[in-house]
Amino acid sequence: MNVIAKPNDIAGLIEADRAHVWHHLSQHKPYETIDPRIMIEGRGMRLWDATGKEYLDAVSGGVWTVNVGYGRESIANAVRDQLVKLNYFAGSAGSEPGARFAQKLIEKMPGLTRVYYSNSGSEANEKVFKMVRQLSAQVHGGKKSKILYRERDYHGTTLGVLAACGQPQRASHYGPFPEGFVEVPHCLEYRNQYPDAPHYGIAAANAIEEVILREGPDTIGLLCLEPVTAGGGVIAPPEGYWPRVQEICAKYDILLHIDEVVCGLGRTGTWFGYQQYGVKPDFVTMAKGLASGYAAISCTVTTEAVFEMFKNDPSDPLNYFRDISTFGGCLAGPAAALENMRIIEDEDLLGNTTRMGERLRANLLALQEKHAAIGDVRGVGLFQGAELVADRTTKEPLAEAKVQAVVAHCMKNGVIIGATNRSLPGLNNTLCLSPALIATADDIDAITNAIDAALTEVMG
């Protein structure tokens, strides 16, 4: 594929970018002396930049989003057709793609019935927090307003959700935050906080109950958790954890919110990560893979019981959910999401995710046998992590600079992988892999071969 821009075009693109674009998650000082990378085209799992360099993308667009791969004309056509027919109307009214996608989505989520549209994962999670605060005011007499979140979990970038950020470096410098957000301990067995406990999963869940009892059960309205912790180190919950969490929420009448922004729409091999564990949530939020990045869309999904609590006397002007997401009314989102879901179904991408996830995990475990720097391999489906250590015995984390050197080596050799970075002080040491659900065995092998070569070079 020849996607190399003309020399004058390359120079112009780079200078326009350098002069005017403020990149996400980027320190721009280096761009004074090096050129920013500019991506031009994608097909399947491969990308080409402005110089024509080819990359195999093992992180689905850099942030776990392009689940069905690049260049899907059918999604682009579905979006185009919908935009010509009707591009937008505020979410205060319904729409054809909005109704059809909500119905199809709910068919995949037994026990849940209502879909609220917005346009980002941060926004979807913020809606839940607002709903809980409103229920505190109008149902619980001001009680049950506190929101529990978990150490190492991440729920978004706005100030409200940053108040529930279990990654200190992500939240650093952005306070003061809203009050009423309380952290519970992580559940990473590799970093076991309860070495004397006979069952780690139960102990990690019981630690949540201890926080509830300390704060007062009548003050807690919501527990917000990722099904598999994503940017905090790809942490799959230990055996026994989720059933005990469900028991605790029921015992203290606490709503359970599962943040599926990363895991939703097939990443773990089921439609949603929580479905791996038999959990029955009150809220589920989703974004990234919902339309594979072809349009902006997120959903806050809840039960009929929660929805009914917002149906009150119409004469009271403040008793309904007084919220709007402007671009939740853009119909490109549900149009893209409908076609995205059809592709996942018709191509059996859930099955492929399970099969290729097993291969990815097996390859990483083989690398662990070869490289002492790999202390732990963990994950579910096509969402896998490898925690790097300086010493296996002590589990001393590998320095972040060396972890990033592994990432850079892979990038230099045409494979894009991810890693925890600037999130967890002293623990930004996990390689993160989330290839598209279309990955083949050759793709998986190429990814792990690149990591093998990078570890050999960086670790000596």
Side-chain angles (χ1 to χ4, degrees):
M1 180 174 293
N2 182 13
V3 297
I4 304 174
K6 296 178 181 178
N8 289 342
D9 292 341
I10 294 174
L13 282 172
I14 290 171
E15 288 314 307
D17 186 279
R18 196 196 316 270
H20 304 298
V21 178
W22 195 336
H23 292 281
H24 298 186
L25 297 173
S26 299
Q27 170 55 258
H28 276 247
K29 187 69 175 175
Y31 294 146
E32 294 178 2
T33 56
I34 64 172
D35 292 340
R37 182 176 288 107
I38 298 178
M39 295 302 188
I40 296 294
E41 189 167 347
R43 285 286 181 271
M45 283 184 56
R46 279 153 180 83
L47 290 163
W48 290 265
D49 68 17
T51 70
K53 183 176 175 63
E54 180 179 326
Y55 303 87
L56 174 60
D57 181 3
V59 284
S60 297
V63 286
W64 312 318
T65 298
V66 188
N67 281 12
V68 300
Y70 299 101
R72 291 283 189 168
E73 291 188 17
S74 67
I75 303 182
N77 289 338
V79 170
R80 185 260 178 206
D81 291 347
Q82 179 58 51
L83 294 184
V84 171
K85 184 176 182 180
L86 179 65
N87 64 309
Y88 177 90
F89 197 84
S92 53
S95 70
E96 181 180 0
R100 292 191 185 283
F101 181 66
Q103 181 179 41
K104 193 168 182 65
L105 181 63
I106 290 302
E107 289 173 358
K108 312 297 185 188
M109 308 178 76
L112 299 161
T113 62
R114 297 285 174 167
V115 178
Y116 190 98
Y117 287 112
S118 51
N119 71 312
S120 73
S122 299
E123 195 177 357
N125 288 331
E126 190 97 14
K127 305 307 182 191
V128 176
F129 296 172
K130 289 178 68 177
M131 289 175 185
V132 169
R133 289 291 170 84
Q134 185 169 338
L135 290 176
S136 169
Q138 74 183 38
V139 175
H140 301 298
K143 296 182 178 181
K144 300 192 80 64
S145 65
K146 291 181 183 176
I147 293 167
L148 302 182
Y149 66 93
R150 187 170 56 194
E151 183 183 7
R152 298 182 72 130
D153 280 11
Y154 176 75
H155 303 293
T157 191
T158 57
L159 283 178
V161 289
L162 276 181
C165 183
Q167 299 176 12
Q169 289 177 316
R170 292 269 190 156
S172 180
H173 302 153
Y174 298 121
F177 297 110
E179 296 180 352
F181 292 84
V182 182
E183 187 175 79
V184 301
H186 69 74
C187 66
L188 174 55
E189 191 164 10
Y190 184 68
R191 299 284 173 186
N192 189 341
Q193 320 97 301
Y194 320 108
D196 297 327
H199 192 296
Y200 179 78
I202 300 299
N206 285 342
I208 298 174
E209 185 174 30
E210 292 174 10
V211 174
I212 292 169
L213 293 173
R214 183 192 73 207
E215 296 291 326
D218 65 341
T219 72
I220 309 297
L222 184 77
L223 173 62
C224 177
L225 302 173
E226 292 183 271
V228 177
T229 298
V234 191
I235 304 168
E239 183 182 355
Y241 182 80
W242 273 116
R244 181 66 183 127
V245 166
Q246 189 91 68
E247 289 177 3
I248 291 167
C249 288
K251 180 178 180 180
Y252 297 108
D253 190 26
I254 294 171
L255 295 170
L256 179 58
H257 168 199
I258 308 297
D259 176 353
E260 293 270 359
V261 169
V262 173
C263 291
L265 272 292
R267 173 60 51 197
T268 66
T270 47
W271 284 107
F272 296 94
Y274 75 86
Q275 293 169 343
Q276 296 275 351
Y277 309 105
V279 183
K280 296 180 179 179
D282 300 288
F283 296 99
V284 178
T285 48
M286 62 200 75
K288 297 181 184 294
L290 195 55
S292 288
Y294 286 84
I297 181 175
S298 66
C299 293
T300 301
V301 182
T302 191
T303 63
E304 198 68 11
V306 169
F307 178 75
E308 285 291 326
M309 286 191 279
F310 289 88
K311 289 170 65 176
N312 295 297
D313 182 359
S315 66
D316 183 344
L318 299 180
N319 67 6
Y320 62 97
F321 187 47
R322 303 178 313 282
D323 181 272
I324 185 171
S325 168
T326 297
F327 289 103
C330 180
L331 303 185
L338 273 166
E339 180 60 12
N340 184 68
M341 186 174 280
R342 183 201 64 77
I343 289 170
I344 294 172
E345 289 180 318
D346 288 358
E347 297 182 12
D348 185 29
L349 295 188
L350 297 184
N352 190 64
T353 295
T354 298
R355 292 186 295 273
M356 292 302 103
E358 290 171 354
R359 187 180 189 95
L360 178 56
R361 182 175 181 80
N363 285 7
L364 290 172
L365 289 170
L367 290 184
Q368 186 179 30
E369 291 293 318
K370 180 177 180 180
H371 296 282
I374 299 180
D376 191 36
V377 172
R378 52 184 182 256
V380 185
L382 282 174
F383 194 25
Q384 298 287 332
E387 181 164 349
L388 304 186
V389 293
D391 186 293
R392 271 194 187 171
T393 302
T394 65
K395 299 182 182 178
E396 176 190 349
L398 190 65
E400 185 169 355
K402 283 198 170 184
V403 178
Q404 290 303 314
V406 172
V407 174
H409 188 282
C410 290
M411 175 71 82
K412 181 180 178 180
N413 287 281
V415 176
I416 305 172
I417 68 170
T420 50
N421 67 98
R422 291 162 286 179
S423 299
L424 304 158
L427 288 167
N428 292 311
N429 63 316
T430 301
L431 301 181
C432 303
L433 303 172
S434 55
L437 313 189
I438 62 171
T440 66
D442 287 345
D443 294 328
I444 298 300
D445 293 348
I447 292 164
T448 50
N449 287 342
I451 294 171
D452 183 11
L455 288 170
T456 300
E457 176 70 22
V458 172
M459 301 306 297

